[in-house]
């Protein structure tokens, strides 16, 4: 841990230690790292006597696969949040835009003299808070939350450790992008009582049967472009709103992990149709790299962001128009060393 990061964690822990009323936010369409990190930190603060609440702007309901993480009922709807709070914590959220409709709370909070702590590991972080714990080398935001918990001198119990494990195992793609420190952290979480098989089954592997025909329909339309992505290959698939309507959001998000498994393409892209903008189609785009193309840079050039190997953005127009923009961005994206 660098001196600067260590200082940031020390300062953030001091703020958290004095906090009595805290709202913790994850990004829109929260994943296990965003929600697990927020719930883990919220549990620790609550045990210290603070009033806490966890929320996110969209969708209206918690993803079914993540509901088991909220054992204390700390999640609240945006409409039930107070007008402001002395301390706002944004987790796993690199930009205000990723907070969705709750992004305005940042300016409102600071205007009244409140503090905003941003805890994140994305390279696209815009440092929009009053305090920051940002480490782009961290495998997950959950890694940074554990450092904060340690700095607070709090003990890990099983529910807190389970939240952190969910974030760690998903953001490392099942420990495929792991370092020795990743496994040391996982060992600590297992020592706290986490059942890894149960967590992975609930958060990653639990799909209804409807997922299979949906996946068959989507994969039937998948295409391979060997010359795209600077000649390293691009595999892409499209999930239309009609097809997505048969399953949960979790099943739609899982499609990219299937598309990325082909060895014939360096980059995998999945376009997921969302609510239209007037007469114009809107696509939520997931990008994955096998290790040679920096997809975060490509996503940022299109208004999105993320990690070098996993990123996303939102595009408007037809699916082919979106793919054209993606091809262009990938053809100019930096190649990664190694």
């Amino acid at each position: 841990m660098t001196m600067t990061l260590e200082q940031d964690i020390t300062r953030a822990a001091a703020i958290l230690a004095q906090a009595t009323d805290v709202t913790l936010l994850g990004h829109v369409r929260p994943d296990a790292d965003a929600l697990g990190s927020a719930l883990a930190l919220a549990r620790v603060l609550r045990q210290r006597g603070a009033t806490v609440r966890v929320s996110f702007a969209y969708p209206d309901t918690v993803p079914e696969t993540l509901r088991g993480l909220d054992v204390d009922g700390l999640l609240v709807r945006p409409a039930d949040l107070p007008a402001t709070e002395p301390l706002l914590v944004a987790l796993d959220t690199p930009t205000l835009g990723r907070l969705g409709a709750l992004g305005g709370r940042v300016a409102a909070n600071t205007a009244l003299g409140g503090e905003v702590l941003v805890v994140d590991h994305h390279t696209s972080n815009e440092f929009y808070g009053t305090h920051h714990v940002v480490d782009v080398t961290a495998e997950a935001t959950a890694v940074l939350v554990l450092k904060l918990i340690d700095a607070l001198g709090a003990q890990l119990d099983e529910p807190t450790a389970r939240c952190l494990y969910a974030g760690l195992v998903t953001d490392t793609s099942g420990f495929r992008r792991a370092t020795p420190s990743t496994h040391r952290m996982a060992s600590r979480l297992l020592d706290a009582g986490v059942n890894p098989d149960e967590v992975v089954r609930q958060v990653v592997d639990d799909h209804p049967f409807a997922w299979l025909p949906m996946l068959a329909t989507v994969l039937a339309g998948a295409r391979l472009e060997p010359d795209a992505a600077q000649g390293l290959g691009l595999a892409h698939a499209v999930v239309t709103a009609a097809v997505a309507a048969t399953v949960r959001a979790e099943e739609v998000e899982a499609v990219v992990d299937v598309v990325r498994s082909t060895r014939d393409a360096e980059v995998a892209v999945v376009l997921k149709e969302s609510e239209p903008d007037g007469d114009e189609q809107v696509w939520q785009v997931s990008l994955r790299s096998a290790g040679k193309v920096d997809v975060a840079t490509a996503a940022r050039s299109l208004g999105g962001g993320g990690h070098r190997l996993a990123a996303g953005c939102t595009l408007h127009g037809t699916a082919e128009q979106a793919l054209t923009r993606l091809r262009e961005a990938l053809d100019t994206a930096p190649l990664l060393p190694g």
Side-chain angles (χ1 to χ4, degrees):
M1 188 162 57
T2 66
M3 182 60 69
T4 300
L5 178 60
E6 186 175 0
Q7 292 170 339
D8 288 343
I9 289 173
T10 299
R11 283 192 289 264
I15 293 168
L16 293 168
Q18 298 173 6
T20 58
D21 190 300
V22 188
T23 296
L24 302 97
L25 300 179
H27 54 70
V28 294
R29 298 183 183 85
D31 57 12
D33 193 28
L35 211 54
S37 295
L39 287 168
L41 186 56
R43 292 195 79 252
V44 168
L45 295 177
R46 184 181 187 226
Q47 289 164 0
R48 294 177 59 88
T51 298
V52 299
R53 60 200 73 82
V54 177
S55 192
F56 54 89
Y58 179 85
D60 293 335
T61 58
V62 181
E64 186 177 341
T65 53
L66 303 179
R67 290 176 190 170
L69 300 180
D70 185 21
V71 299
D72 300 304
L74 301 180
L75 284 161
V76 301
R77 294 179 182 274
D80 296 327
L81 292 173
T84 187
E85 53 278 302
L87 176 61
L88 182 68
V89 184
L91 299 109
D92 201 46
T93 307
T95 67
L96 281 174
R98 289 289 285 154
L99 286 172
L102 294 177
R105 297 184 73 87
V106 171
N109 203 41
T110 54
L112 294 174
E115 295 176 298
V116 178
L117 171 62
V118 176
V119 184
D120 185 38
H121 71 130
H122 292 89
T123 58
S124 53
N125 192 279
E126 295 181 349
F127 292 83
Y128 54 88
T130 59
H131 305 279
H132 304 87
V133 175
V134 176
D135 180 9
V136 299
T137 69
E139 303 92 321
T141 295
V143 172
L144 300 175
V145 170
L146 181 56
K147 293 183 186 297
L148 288 170
I149 290 173
D150 288 342
L152 286 166
Q155 297 297 311
L156 275 177
D157 59 15
E158 190 279 331
T160 302
R162 188 178 352 132
C163 289
L164 296 175
Y165 190 86
L168 187 65
V169 72
T170 52
D171 255 37
T172 59
S173 295
F175 298 105
R176 292 181 183 89
R177 299 188 298 275
T179 65
S181 65
T182 313
H183 290 287
R184 285 192 291 269
M185 175 176 169
S187 179
R188 283 189 61 191
L189 301 178
L190 297 187
D191 284 340
V194 171
N195 181 328
D197 178 64
E198 181 179 292
V199 172
V200 173
R201 186 171 63 251
Q202 291 178 350
V203 174
V204 180
D205 295 336
D206 180 30
H207 297 294
F209 182 81
W211 183 58
L212 297 179
M214 182 278 289
L215 191 61
T217 299
V218 172
L219 295 183
R223 296 293 180 266
L224 173 66
E225 299 184 21
D227 297 328
Q230 303 177 57
L232 296 171
L234 167 66
H236 55 80
V238 176
V239 184
T240 64
V243 172
T246 64
V247 294
R248 306 171 302 180
E250 293 95 313
E251 277 67 61
V252 177
E253 294 302 320
V255 171
V256 71
D257 291 319
V258 179
V259 177
R260 69 182 297 186
S261 64
T262 176
R263 65 182 180 184
D264 300 311
E266 164 63 24
V267 178
V269 167
V270 173
L271 277 64
K272 300 159 289 185
E273 190 175 13
S274 60
E275 291 293 326
D277 183 4
D279 294 330
E280 195 171 37
Q281 288 178 289
V282 179
W283 304 94
Q284 303 298 326
V285 182
S286 294
L287 299 98
R288 298 292 185 270
S289 169
K292 296 180 181 179
V293 176
D294 182 351
V295 292
T297 299
R300 279 199 299 274
S301 72
L302 297 170
H307 314 294
R308 291 180 299 175
L309 303 183
C313 61
T314 301
L315 296 176
H316 293 66
T318 66
E320 188 51 48
Q321 287 171 335
L323 284 168
T324 296
R325 295 185 65 191
L326 286 162
R327 293 184 191 101
E328 293 171 351
L330 290 169
D331 278 339
T332 58
L335 296 181
L336 299 171

